[in-house]
Amino acid sequence: MSAATGLEGSVAVVTGACGRLGPIWVDALAQAGATVVGLDAAPADRAPAGLAGFEQVDVTSRDAVDAAVARVTEHHGVAHVLVNNAGIDQPPLPGARADAIDDVPMSEFLRVLEVNVGGVFNMTRAVGGAMAAQGRGSIVNIGSLYASIAPDPSFYDHMDLDPPFLKPPAYGASKAGVINLTRYFARLWGPRGVRVNALSPGGVLGDQDPDFRRKYIARVPLRRMAEPGDLAGPLLFLASDASRYVTGHELRVEGGFTA
């Protein structure tokens, strides 16, 4: 890898490649010259453009993850970059599920933790261990604004839902766990040449209703939501040698929301 953001000759693995943010990471890495392999629980026909390979896999299954990573390694070699993006979220979209806090099923709470934290753990062990054996690699865990700050219920109180929409409590808890795992593996594998960082986006422009956007943007110093191009540069910085002395760091890309 070059000292800038070029990733020519590198292999990058992106989990959750078919999700909302997955195509952003895939496109950024491919445009920078990386050979990108996507992993997702969804079938291959939903995979984004730009992939050199795809594996359908449940990241909560260690056996399935180990087998998928072995196939990727056989075909492409040990990854230089891992983007842990797979996760469960509940955006405030029309028709969203709404539970009163007393009615949130414990099984649902634990499932979010299993995917969002357990999946990162499984993938990091499987890919990062091989990186450490090679003495190089960059792991970027996708966090969230809500790893650091609790969601404001007033963002959602205009939605015609009974009970009112609540951002699931497990989501922020899981992303806070991802940040701590980032620090854990950064310290564990730093001496072996593997850097582990987190990229935490704020609200990304999508299909949110106009009232939500207005309320959210009013809290952002830059007065807008994030767009895909706002996320690509920070990812490439963390993935490449441009950040070769950065590890254990959470890079918040949220327009100053937490300032």
Side-chain angles (χ1 to χ4, degrees):
M1 290 185 287
S2 70
T5 55
L7 294 168
E8 294 84 0
S10 68
V11 175
V13 172
V14 178
T15 71
C18 304
R20 186 164 170 239
L21 298 182
I24 297 174
W25 315 132
V26 169
D27 183 66
L29 292 163
Q31 291 293 328
T35 296
V36 188
V37 180
L39 274 63
D40 204 292
D45 60 9
R46 290 179 51 189
L51 291 174
F54 180 83
E55 293 283 340
Q56 185 175 10
V57 62
D58 175 0
V59 294
T60 68
S61 167
R62 183 173 184 180
D63 289 344
V65 164
D66 286 348
V69 170
R71 290 191 294 269
V72 172
T73 302
E74 179 182 359
H75 287 97
H76 303 283
V78 174
H80 299 79
V81 176
L82 168 64
V83 180
N84 277 314
N85 173 72
I88 297 174
D89 189 13
Q90 175 62 77
L93 301 177
R97 175 176 174 171
D99 286 311
I101 194 67
D102 288 342
D103 297 327
V104 175
M106 181 56 72
S107 59
E108 181 179 293
F109 187 94
L110 294 176
R111 177 60 179 168
V112 173
L113 297 180
E114 181 184 30
V115 175
N116 294 12
V117 184
V120 170
F121 182 57
N122 273 338
M123 286 299 306
T124 300
R125 282 194 302 192
V127 178
M131 287 177 170
Q134 298 260 320
R136 50 81 179 150
S138 175
I139 298 173
V140 183
N141 296 325
I142 304 304
S144 169
L145 166 71
Y146 292 137
S148 304
I149 189 171
D152 183 345
S154 71
F155 285 170
Y156 319 112
D157 61 12
H158 64 279
M159 298 176 70
D160 187 19
L161 293 171
D162 185 22
F165 178 84
L166 290 176
K167 189 74 173 180
Y171 181 74
S174 72
K175 291 302 185 178
V178 167
I179 303 306
N180 193 270
L181 270 182
T182 298
R183 298 184 182 120
Y184 181 93
F185 281 107
R187 185 165 290 280
L188 180 68
W189 285 334
R192 300 179 68 183
V194 179
R195 297 183 301 104
V196 188
N197 292 289
L199 192 164
S200 289
V204 180
L205 187 63
D207 297 329
Q208 303 93 345
D209 68 82
D211 286 332
F212 172 85
R213 292 185 193 178
R214 174 182 53 78
K215 293 178 185 180
Y216 184 90
I217 289 170
R219 288 279 301 275
V220 180
L222 291 183
R223 290 297 185 267
R224 64 181 180 87
M225 298 186 75
E227 298 175 356
D230 299 320
L231 304 180
L235 174 75
L236 294 179
F237 169 70
L238 293 177
S240 73
D241 284 347
S243 60
R244 62 181 178 267
Y245 199 59
V246 178
T247 196
H249 179 70
E250 180 195 8
L251 177 55
R252 299 178 191 168
V253 186
E254 32 75 313
F257 192 107
T258 58

